[in-house]
Amino acid sequence: MRAQIERNQVAENDNWGNPLPPVFAPIGDPLPCFVWSNSSREVVDGSKTAMIEDMRAMFALGADVREADEIPQVTDRQGNLLVPGRLKVEGPVQRKHTHLEAALQRIG
């Protein structure tokens, strides 16, 4: 699996001190990774229904992955789409003995 990491390039505030809208741009080449889903569940709140999926990703120890980075999609080595949609790195990236592990949140 491969994931192109995108990082917010805007870290400034407007004239009233509010953060400007994020502008995500790719950094480096797509990183080798492994993305999986631990579980998914449906939440019903009145007339609204939402699917919540617990997704995680593993990266090599030297990978440049940070909290709040985004992944537009996950592909295989040939570029075939495996996991569609935008994913956001949620919370700090955890360093394990042999890899980095990140919790992912689907955006949209």
Side-chain angles (χ1 to χ4, degrees):
M1 294 180 163
R2 302 286 185 267
Q4 175 65 60
I5 303 297
E6 293 184 353
R7 189 163 292 150
N8 182 8
Q9 303 300 314
V10 177
E12 301 174 5
N13 294 334
D14 62 14
N15 294 335
W16 294 276
N18 297 315
L20 292 171
V23 176
F24 286 93
I27 57 163
D29 295 326
L31 299 175
C33 65
F34 182 72
V35 176
W36 74 97
S37 174
N38 277 340
S39 64
S40 64
R41 61 191 180 280
E42 185 177 53
V43 176
V44 179
D45 179 18
S47 62
K48 298 178 283 184
T49 302
M51 288 297 294
I52 298 174
E53 188 172 18
D54 178 23
M55 296 186 71
R56 306 216 34 103
M58 285 192 311
F59 298 94
L61 283 175
D64 184 14
V65 181
R66 300 180 192 165
E67 182 176 0
D69 283 350
E70 292 191 5
I71 301 169
Q73 62 190 10
V74 178
T75 62
D76 63 12
R77 280 182 274 169
Q78 288 82 31
N80 299 314
L81 183 64
L82 299 175
V83 181
R86 294 191 73 79
L87 303 169
K88 181 177 183 176
V89 177
E90 184 178 53
V93 176
Q94 300 173 359
R95 181 182 172 89
K96 304 292 185 175
H97 294 288
T98 58
H99 62 278
L100 298 176
E101 192 169 318
L104 302 177
Q105 175 184 19
R106 189 171 297 280
I107 299 172

